[in-house]
Amino acid sequence: MKPFEDVIIDIQGLSFARSGRPIFRDVNIQIPRGKITAIMGPSGTGKTTLLKLIGGQLKPAKGSIVMDGQNIPRLGRRELFEIRERMGMLFQSGALFTDMSVYENVAFPLRVHTDLPEQMIRDIVLMKLNAVGLRGAKDLMPSELSGGMARRVALARAIALDPDLVMYDEPFTGQDPIAMGVLVNLIRRLNEALGHTSIIVSHDIQETLGIADYIYLIADGEVVAQGTPQELKEVDSAKVKQFMQGLPDGPVPFHFPAAEYVDELMQEARS
Amino acid sequence: MNQLAQLGRGALGKLAAFGRSGIILGHVLVAKPQPRTMLPLLLQQIYFVGVLSLIIIVVSGLFIGMVLGLQGYTILVDYGSEQAVGQMVALSLVRELAPVVTALLFAGRAGSALTAEIGLMKATEQLSSLEMIGVDPLRRIIAPRFWAGFYCLPVLAAIFSVVGVYGGALVGVDWLGIYEGSFWANMQHSVDFFDDVLNGLFKAVVFGFVVTWIAVFQGYDCIPTSEGISQATTRTVVLSSLAVLALDFVLTALMFGDF
C-alpha cells in the first residue's frame, strides 16, 4: 500500500532482531517527501533503531529501505557516506563533538562538505544558532551546556547543510516549556521554508500531534496504526487508545517481559 | 560438553574480533591520502600522542641509563673492564631497552588514552554522529591516531636511547670517574649503525604499528559503557605489553640469532 504520491523513504518487509529478540517483523513504512512524519510507540519498540536503519548504521535481517531509488542496506561504504550527506540527524544525547566549541560543532558539516569562504560559514552558523536561540552561546564548550541546550545545538548542526531529510530522535526531551514551544515551531517552519522531509521520534504526544502530518504507531515489532493525527485519534483500537491517552492498563504492557512478580518473590523463600 | 561449546564460542569470538581489527586496519592503510584535511589532524595527534609522552620517555630513559651505568660499573670494575660500561649501556639501550621500554610506556600512556578517548566518543554517539554527517570515522578519527602512534614511537625510542646513553655517561664518567675517552671510544667502536641502531629502530617501528593498532581497535570495538571502556583500556595495556615482549623475542631471534 502506498498512500502517498511522492515518497522519499520506502521501507518494505523490514525485519530486524537484536540479541535474538525481534525488533521489527515484516514492517512496511513510507515517508512522504516534504512532510513531517512521526514515529511513535512505547519505549523499547525500536523507534531509534528505525532511524539508525534508515541512516544505514544498522543493517536489517530482511527487507529494503529505499531512499530515492537507492536501497540503503545494499549500498557500499562510499555510497552510504554520500547519501548521508543528504540526511541530518538529531541524536537523543545531542552527540556534540566535545573538543569543539558550539560554533565549531555547527560549522563542522559546512567545513567538511563545502568549500564556502569563512565569512559565509560564519553567517550560516550564526543563522542556525539564532534559529535555536543559542547564538549567544557560540563560544561555549559542550561541557558548559545543559542537556536541552546541547540538543538545540545538535539541531542547529543537523540542519547546517539544509539536508533533504532530517531525523529527530526525541527532540523535545529535557526542554523547558519556552524552548519546547520554540522547537515545535522551528521544526514546522524549517519544514515549510526549506521543503525538507522530517521524521520525528517522540513520546511527547501533544507536541508531536501538533506538528506531524502523518503518524506511524509502532508496538510489538509492527505498525499497529497509521494516519493523520486526526485519524489516529479516531482509531478504535485498544492499543492505540492506550498509547494516545497514556493509560497504564491495556494491551501494551508497562513491564518488560518477566516471570510473575509473586513467583519471583516467593522463589527465594521456597528455596 | 557445555564447557567445550563455551570454549569454541570464545575462540570464535576472538577470531571474529581479529577479523574486525583487520578490516579497520585495512580501511586505515588503503584510505586515499587527503593531505589538506589529514595533515592538521595528524599534527594534532602527534602532539597528543608523541609530544605529551616526551616527559615520561625522557625521565625513564635517563634513570634506566643511569642504572645501567651503575650496575655495569659494579660488575665490570671487578674485572678491570670498567671502560666497557659505555659499550654495554649503548648496546643494551639501542638493541633492546629503548624500543621495548618505550613501547611499554607508550602503551600505558598514549595507548590507553587513545582507547579511552575513542571508546568515550563511541559511548557519547560522537562516532555515530560523524557517520550521519557523512564523515567516515575510520578516516577522520582512527587513521590520524594510528599514523601518529606509528610515526611517534620510533622517534620516542631514539630519544630514549640518546637520553639513556647520556644517563650512563653521567653516572659512569662524571660520578664514578671512568676515563671519558675510553667510555665514548668503546661505545663508538662496538655499536654498528646497521646491525644495532637500525635493527633497534625497526623494532620500534613494528611495536609502534602493533601497539597503536591494538589501542585504536580496542577503542573502536569496545562496548559503549563505562565498564566496557574500562575493560577495553585494560585490554590495550595488557595485550600491547604481551605483544611487544613476544614480538621482541621473535625479532631479536631473527636479527641476532645465529642460525
Side-chain angles (χ1 to χ4, degrees), chain A residues 57 77 84 93 98 113 157, chain B residues 125 128-129 131 133 136:
Chain A
Q57 293 188 296
R77 200 171 171 84
R84 281 176 184 156
S93 61
T98 48
H113 289 310
R157 187 180 64 183
Chain B
E125 291 186 305
S128 296
S129 169
E131 284 180 353
I133 289 172
D136 188 348

Side-chain angles (χ1 to χ4, degrees), chain B residues 169-200:
Chain B
L170 209 64
V171 169
V173 176
D174 297 338
W175 180 27
L176 299 171
I178 300 170
Y179 176 58
E180 194 174 4
S182 52
F183 180 91
W184 293 112
N186 271 336
M187 190 187 295
Q188 283 174 5
H189 186 252
S190 59
V191 177
D192 184 82
F193 180 72
F194 290 100
D195 286 346
D196 301 317
V197 177
L198 282 191
N199 274 341

Side-chain angles (χ1 to χ4, degrees), chain B:
Chain B
M1 202 61 189
N2 204 14
Q3 283 172 332
L4 199 66
Q6 273 184 348
L7 193 71
R9 201 179 303 133
L12 282 176
K14 293 272 181 286
L15 212 60
F18 190 68
R20 288 197 301 276
S21 70
I23 291 169
I24 287 173
L25 182 66
H27 278 291
V28 170
L29 294 181
V30 303
K32 200 173 78 180
Q34 293 175 311
R36 197 168 66 91
T37 49
M38 279 292 286
L39 196 62
L41 295 172
L42 182 65
L43 292 175
Q44 190 185 28
Q45 288 310 316
I46 284 176
Y47 174 75
F48 285 125
V49 166
V51 176
L52 294 184
S53 299
L54 267 176
I55 289 180
I56 191 171
I57 295 297
V58 167
V59 173
S60 305
L62 185 69
F63 280 114
I64 285 178
M66 288 164 73
V67 168
L68 279 176
L70 194 57
Q71 290 280 15
Y73 180 84
T74 53
I75 295 166
L76 292 172
V77 77
D78 291 342
Y79 304 97
S81 310
E82 65 270 24
Q83 285 81 9
V85 165
Q87 168 185 351
M88 194 213 79
V89 168
L91 284 178
S92 312
L93 281 168
V94 170
R95 283 185 176 190
E96 288 297 332
L97 288 172
V100 171
V101 177
T102 304
L104 294 177
L105 292 171
F106 186 82
R109 204 217 74 89
S112 58
L114 284 177
T115 303
E117 186 193 16
I118 296 168
L120 209 57
M121 289 175 96
K122 186 178 181 182
T124 53
E125 291 186 305
Q126 291 181 56
L127 297 184
S128 296
S129 169
L130 269 177
E131 284 180 353
M132 288 310 299
I133 289 172
V135 176
D136 188 348
L138 289 180
R139 299 180 75 166
R140 178 95 195 177
I141 302 294
I142 305 300
R145 284 161 178 77
F146 174 81
W147 289 117
F150 178 68
Y151 295 142
C152 283
L153 208 147
V155 177
L156 290 172
I159 293 170
F160 189 101
S161 282
V162 170
V163 176
V165 167
Y166 174 73
L170 209 64
V171 169
V173 176
D174 297 338
W175 180 27
L176 299 171
I178 300 170
Y179 176 58
E180 194 174 4
S182 52
F183 180 91
W184 293 112
N186 271 336
M187 190 187 295
Q188 283 174 5
H189 186 252
S190 59
V191 177
D192 184 82
F193 180 72
F194 290 100
D195 286 346
D196 301 317
V197 177
L198 282 191
N199 274 341
L201 272 180
F202 180 71
K203 278 185 179 181
V205 169
V206 174
F207 297 159
F209 186 91
V210 173
V211 170
T212 323
W213 180 20
I214 291 173
V216 294
F217 170 69
Q218 289 297 338
Y220 193 74
D221 201 55
C222 75
I223 299 165
T225 60
S226 48
E227 193 189 9
I229 295 168
S230 148
Q231 286 172 349
T233 310
T234 307
R235 269 199 306 275
T236 290
V237 178
V238 172
L239 291 177
S240 298
S241 305
L242 293 177
V244 164
L245 295 171
L247 277 170
D248 182 49
F249 172 74
V250 174
L251 290 171
T252 305
L254 289 174
M255 289 168 178
F256 304 106
D258 192 16
F259 46 78

